[in-house]
Structure formats: C-alpha cells, structure tokens
Amino acid sequence: MSGTLTVVGTPIGNLGDFSPRAREALAAADFIAAEDTRVTLKLLNHFGLKKPMLSYYEHNKRGRGAVICERIEAGENCVLVSDAGMPAISDPGEDLVAECAARGIRVLAVPGPTAMATALALSGLPTGRFTFEGFLSVNKKSRRDHLEELRGEKRTMVFYEAPHKLAATLRDLLDTLGDRRIALARELTKIHEEVIRTTLAEAANRFADGSARGEFVLVVEGAAQETPAKPCTVEEAAALALSLAAEESLPLSEACRRAAAQTGLPRNRIYKAASAQHEASRP
Ligand code: SAM
C-alpha cells in the first residue's frame, strides 16, 4: 500500500513554535525530505530525533521528486520540511506536492509558522483580501513586468525580501506604486522582532544606505479604490483629495496621499493646491 507525504511547518526563528504534532510527524516518518539536511539535522538533534534524510532543493528537485514519490508508492511515509516555515511557500516543495497529487499519493499537513501570514497579521493593514507576491525577480524585465502588474492592485500585497536587496526593492515599489502605507516585519519570532509601520517614501529613505539587517517581510497597502478615468491636472487631483477628505473624514494630508497614489501626481503639489482650494471656498 502506498505511503503518504506529510508537509511539516518548522519555526521561522523560535524553536518554541515547533508543535508537538510536528515532532510526532517527524518521529513517525520513514524518511525526511529536507531543503538542507544540515539545517534539519540541528532541528532533529534539538528534539532528540534520529531519521534518515534526503535532500530536496531547487537544483535537484526534478530527479529527486521522482525518487521520493517511488519510495512513497512502495509504502514509505515521507515528511517534507524546508529550512524555516511552511515548505512550498517560496521554498522547495511546491513541485513535490504537485507530483504526489498527480500520482494519487495522499498529501497531509502539519501546519506551522509562515512568515507571510505572521507579517500580515501584525501589519495593521487590511487583511480581508491580500495577495502574496513572494520575492521580486532580480531579472530586470521580469521585475518590471511584475511591478507593473501590481500598479492598480487594490488588495494588500505581501513580499519577501533579502536584507541586501531591500533598498532597491523599496525604491522600485515607491516608483511604481506611489507613496502609500507599508509595514516592514523584521526578524519575526526572534529577539530583535519589530514591525515598522510607515510609508514607502519614508522606508525607502530610511533604508537607502543599505543598513537593513535580518529577515524582512514587506506588507504594502493596496491601491485606493477609485481609479482616475484619464490623466488629470493638479487642480483636479486637489478636488479629488478634498472630496476624499470630506467623504471619508480623512485628514487632508492622508487624502492627498491617496489622491497622489491614484493620479500619479506629487503629493506635495496636490496638498498645496488642495489647501488653496479649501481657503478659496471659505466664506
Ligand atoms: N517557507 C518560508 C515561510 O513559510 O515563511 C519562507 C521561506 S523564504 C526562502 C525566506 C523569506 O521569508 C525571507 O527572505 C524573509 O522574507 C521571510 N522570512 C522568513 N523568516 C522570517 C522571519 N523570522 N522574519 C521575517 N521574515 C522572515
């Protein structure tokens, strides 16, 4: 009888987040498919477990996937883990799950922490609808295409990023999406955990010197609901800001920030024009 594949989440920084059920799953497995066997060995040692392991990572996943599936079909139970978090979420595993599903192998889960959901929950931004964008490509064209696709995205967007690429990513996000709110969730579940809730312009400025350290998830506010039908003047954008401020009881600065995001015009010019229109309309 065929065995199973169990996808097991592992801590993203705090070993206390490794669940009793995850430990049981590892203890019960015939073998473990691990992104990096050295990383997983440390986890096994910490929990006093000993198991045969097989590496499964980006560059060997094609051939290795078939080997793993054949062993499962021959009756073995396999646990899949990555270095941290949920396997298959911006980590190897997606293809293995798909291959098992295609072969009719039962795939089970022991859910664990994942940086994207943790960051989203802490962001303070709308969570009702969101889109997970993973890592932006380093290839210039794919990166530009990806960002362009997101220009009008209204849902909250979640990105992963490495610290040495953070400055460039914040700049590119600001250039494409305009200024808007962002939460930078850093070193989640670790000693230096923090959530920086700010704007894209402020974040781009703050990290421009490449000083970012640690692991980051970026949670970016979606585009405002209203989209301009056509390019507009600063005066029209100012009128839009004033109506947003009145309709949604927003401070003028916030209304101008939204009008800037919608129209692509600079926020300070809209603010100046809106202040003048407001003054002019006073009795
Ligand atoms: N599978 C993992 C998960 O479920 O979150 C994600 C793996 S992906 C290769 C690594 C990226 O996740 C990092 O570059 C960072 O963006 C994010 N990440 C992982 N751990 C994190 C943490 N403790 N704090 C903030 N971000 C983290």
Side-chain angles (χ1 to χ4, degrees):
M1 200 178 103
S2 176
T4 56
L5 176 75
T6 306
V7 177
V8 175
T10 60
I12 56 170
N14 189 324
L15 284 175
D17 293 334
F18 195 59
S19 74
R21 215 179 136 232
R23 190 183 181 287
E24 280 165 25
L26 261 62
D30 292 307
F31 71 102
I32 297 171
E35 179 181 9
D36 184 335
T37 53
R38 292 161 303 182
V39 173
T40 303
L41 184 62
K42 285 189 197 148
L43 186 77
L44 292 178
N45 287 342
H46 184 87
F47 289 99
L49 297 166
K50 244 182 145 124
K51 276 292 148 185
M53 281 192 278
L54 206 63
S55 67
Y56 179 84
Y57 55 91
E58 196 52 38
H59 300 291
N60 76 353
K61 66 183 184 186
R62 208 164 258 184
R64 201 39 76 80
V67 172
I68 293 170
C69 286
E70 279 156 23
R71 285 182 63 172
I72 298 174
E73 283 166 341
E76 291 188 85
N77 291 312
C78 173
V79 155
L80 171 69
V81 291
S82 60
D83 288 352
M86 279 305 282
I89 304 297
S90 286
D91 260 343
E94 182 183 350
D95 292 358
L96 184 59
V97 171
E99 191 166 347
C100 285
R103 288 175 180 240
I105 293 172
R106 190 154 181 234
V107 183
L108 305 163
V110 177
T114 180
M116 54 155 285
T118 311
L120 182 68
L122 297 185
S123 67
L125 292 169
T127 60
R129 296 188 69 198
F130 68 92
T131 153
F132 175 56
E133 300 297 326
F135 290 95
L136 286 173
S137 172
V138 284
N139 171 285
K140 273 192 184 157
K141 183 172 181 323
S142 323
R143 188 179 176 92
R144 205 176 39 239
D145 291 349
H146 187 169
L147 285 166
E148 278 306 323
E149 267 178 39
L150 296 176
R151 199 183 271 279
E153 176 57 66
K154 294 189 178 69
R155 293 167 292 184
T156 300
M157 290 161 274
V158 185
F159 299 88
Y160 282 163
E161 195 46 285
H164 63 282
K165 296 186 195 144
L166 185 69
T169 293
L170 290 171
R171 208 179 41 239
D172 290 349
L173 286 170
L174 176 64
D175 288 349
T176 320
L177 307 179
D179 199 14
R180 55 175 82 178
R181 290 186 294 166
I182 179 174
L184 298 98
R186 178 175 166 269
E187 294 286 89
L188 292 165
T189 75
K190 303 183 195 177
I191 293 170
H192 298 293
E193 168 171 341
E194 64 174 330
V195 182
I196 304 162
R197 298 181 188 87
T198 180
T199 61
L200 264 172
E202 201 281 324
N205 186 37
R206 176 168 174 169
F207 292 106
D209 61 357
S211 61
R213 297 285 174 273
E215 296 197 278
F216 283 86
V217 181
L218 313 180
V219 187
V220 182
E221 180 179 33
Q225 292 303 313
E226 305 79 2
T227 28
K230 56 178 176 43
C232 68
T233 64
V234 172
E235 283 65 35
E236 286 167 336
L240 171 65
L242 287 171
S243 67
L244 280 173
E247 282 163 20
E248 298 187 33
S249 306
L250 294 173
L252 187 59
S253 57
E254 170 67 11
C256 290
R257 191 189 58 70
R258 289 209 198 165
Q262 280 182 48
T263 60
L265 294 170
R267 180 174 54 167
N268 54 355
R269 289 184 57 203
I270 298 175
Y271 188 85
K272 217 169 147 189
S275 303
Q277 285 183 18
H278 182 63
E279 274 307 308
S281 68
R282 280 157 85 117

